[in-house]
Each structure stands twice: as C-alpha cells, then as structure tokens.
Amino acid sequence: MLPWKRALRPLAALLLAAAAATVPATAAHADSAATDSASGWNDYRCKPSAAHPRPVVLVHGTFGNSVDNWLALAPYLTVRGYCVFSVDYGQLPGVPLFNGLGPIDKSAAQLSTFVDKVLAATGAAEADLVGHSQGGLMPRYYLKFLGGAAKVNALVGVAPDNHGTTLSGLANLLPYFPGAEDLLSAATPGLADQVAGSAFLTKLNAGGDTVAGVRYTVIATKYDEVVTPWRTQYLSGSDVHNVLLQDLCPVDLSEHLAIGLFDRIAFHEVANALDPARATATTCASVFS
C-alpha cells in the first residue's frame, strides 16, 4: 500500500464515524416486554376495530430498533384505538440493539414476513406502514418488488430518505478517501444503500417513485440534518401527499430525530394520514392533542 493511502485510512474511518453519528440512533434500550405490555403495542390478541380496520406496522430507522424508536408514537396510536406492531430488521451479526444496518433488500424481505404475521394474527386484509428515516424508504422496496402493494393500504414516511442522502455532504467525500466506500459497503451495507446514487436507489426509483393501490404520505422537516437536501424526501406520484412540518407549525424546530421520536405535531399528521376521512387540521396546538 502506498504511504499516502495508509495515511488516509484513519481519515476514512473518521468520515464513516461522522456519517454514522448523523444517522438516527437510540440513546438507551428499554426492556421490550415491559414496554410492550405497558403501552399495549405488539399485542397479537388485538383485533382491529371498525373505526380502524387495519393494523399499523411501525418501521424503525437506521441504528434504531422496534422499541426505542417508538416509545412515544406507539402509545400515541394505541390510545387512539389502533392495533400497533413494530418490527426489527437489518440486524448484523455481533451488533446488538442497533438495527437497520443490513442490505435494504434483505430488510424488506424481513418486513414482508412480519406483515404476513401481523395480518394472520389480526385477521386484517391489509396493513398500514409508518416508518422513520430508512423505515420510510425500505418499505417501498417491499411494495414494489416483494408483493407488498397487495397487502398495504398506506405508507407514511417520517423524514424518509426516499432519494438517498448526501449525509450533509459527507457522502460526496467518499471518492476522495481510497477504500472508504468499500469499507462502508462491507461493514454497513444498509448505510451504503442510502447514499444518493447507490445501485439500490437507482433500482428502487427507476420507473417511478410509487406503485398503484397504495397511498403515500411524506412528513419532512426543513431542519433535517441527516436526509439532505430535505426536499429529496418527497415522492412523486398520483396518490402522494408531501407535507413540510413547518407549513403546519412554523415554530416547530424538530430535526431528523425529533420529528420521529417525540414530535406530537408530526404524530398528529401521521394520524391524519392513517385515517384521512377523520382528519383534523394539524397546527402548533396539535402538540396538546
């Protein structure tokens, strides 16, 4: 190896660490059994009501998991009468708690299996999906290539990286650090798949962003520091509703993590997307709803 390449290797590692730090992470892992029991989610005895006939499957983001990503939104939806379930996906061997790191097409297959399990348990014909960050992107592969469109009524993406991300420009530096791109793909393929221009995203978005028969909602924040530029989160299609959080409440300063983890204004808009027939206006006052 040339000396200059050896010298750049620590810089490549630093770049990858910085990129990872900007992707959704969870601060602490709660005991899943206790959390589920207290909140009423992941209860396979739950039967959807006439008012909410479809179970809701929550899909966490990169470095998230089925508990920590949903400590606020899952209870928000269960108390409103939804049957709520959350999936773990994209686990890497030897990496506990932090999921969403495996190849996204394989993660989509895990989602497919989970949705089938939920539909079988609840007796519902279709489910609704709500995903944060990668959790809003990955289900689109399931819908487009794995038969998910026949089993899903709506996909709500909260800060999804639908067209990839520059990771605030960091990804654009990868070609300047020999070996960094290969290291990123080998160590965390789920991250590599999300970089704008990746082979995964090229395949996913070829021929259009959406598939027929599914309603799509995207909820974005202009303060997103992970999915950049934030407008790339939006989808194009005949049954798409793109929403900017600050159009609903100009003083909402939520960034990429907050919009998915605890922003009740965003949560209110999620509820509207799940039940548009009963939707009410989302405003700054929705934080109290």
Side-chain angles (χ1 to χ4, degrees):
M1 178 182 292
L2 295 176
W4 68 270
K5 288 188 175 182
R6 187 179 299 112
L8 282 175
R9 184 173 259 181
L11 292 177
L14 178 61
L15 171 64
L16 297 178
T22 66
V23 180
T26 53
H29 179 72
D31 180 85
S32 61
T35 302
D36 295 353
S37 174
S39 67
W41 98 81
N42 282 336
D43 179 0
Y44 286 89
R45 300 165 299 176
C46 186
K47 299 300 180 184
S49 65
H52 302 302
R54 293 175 299 275
V56 177
V57 174
L58 303 177
V59 189
H60 64 73
T62 309
F63 287 120
N65 60 61
S66 63
V67 176
D68 294 339
N69 217 137
W70 308 119
L71 293 174
L73 181 57
Y76 182 95
L77 294 175
T78 57
V79 299
R80 284 160 175 77
Y82 289 92
C83 292
V84 179
F85 302 85
S86 55
V87 61
D88 278 307
Y89 70 88
Q91 302 92 334
L92 290 181
V95 182
L97 307 182
F98 300 104
N99 301 330
L101 300 175
I104 297 182
D105 57 347
K106 302 298 189 296
S107 295
Q110 291 179 278
L111 175 63
S112 176
T113 299
F114 188 81
V115 170
D116 286 348
K117 177 182 177 181
V118 168
L119 294 181
T122 60
E126 292 182 311
D128 289 327
L129 308 180
V130 178
H132 179 216
S133 193
Q134 183 191 160
L137 162 71
M138 178 268 280
R140 292 180 49 225
Y141 191 95
Y142 163 55
L143 299 177
K144 192 169 188 177
F145 299 111
L146 302 180
K151 302 173 183 178
V152 172
N153 169 70
L155 170 61
V156 184
V158 181
D161 48 344
N162 281 315
H163 298 94
T165 175
T166 65
L167 294 174
S168 294
L170 289 175
N172 291 331
L173 296 176
L174 287 174
Y176 297 96
F177 295 92
E181 194 162 5
D182 291 340
L183 179 61
L184 178 62
S185 298
T188 53
L191 279 177
D193 284 346
Q194 295 174 76
V195 175
S198 71
F200 171 83
L201 288 168
T202 299
K203 175 181 177 180
L204 176 64
N205 292 318
D209 291 346
T210 63
V211 296
V214 179
R215 290 189 296 105
Y216 295 82
T217 300
V218 173
I219 304 171
T221 171
K222 68 181 181 181
Y223 299 113
D224 200 312
E225 79 287 22
V226 175
V227 184
T228 54
W230 66 263
R231 289 179 181 83
T232 61
Q233 298 175 31
Y234 284 173
L235 294 172
S236 298
S238 60
D239 203 355
V240 171
H241 183 46
N242 292 313
V243 181
L244 179 63
L245 189 62
Q246 285 71 36
D247 286 342
L248 307 175
C249 178
V251 297
D252 192 322
L253 302 180
S254 288
E255 41 65 71
H256 187 79
L257 283 176
I259 191 177
L261 296 183
F262 54 77
D263 191 312
R264 290 178 67 91
I265 297 170
F267 293 177
H268 188 272
E269 194 62 14
V270 168
N272 280 347
L274 294 174
D275 191 1
R278 297 180 178 85
T280 58
T282 301
T283 68
C284 295
S286 297
V287 71
F288 302 111
S289 64

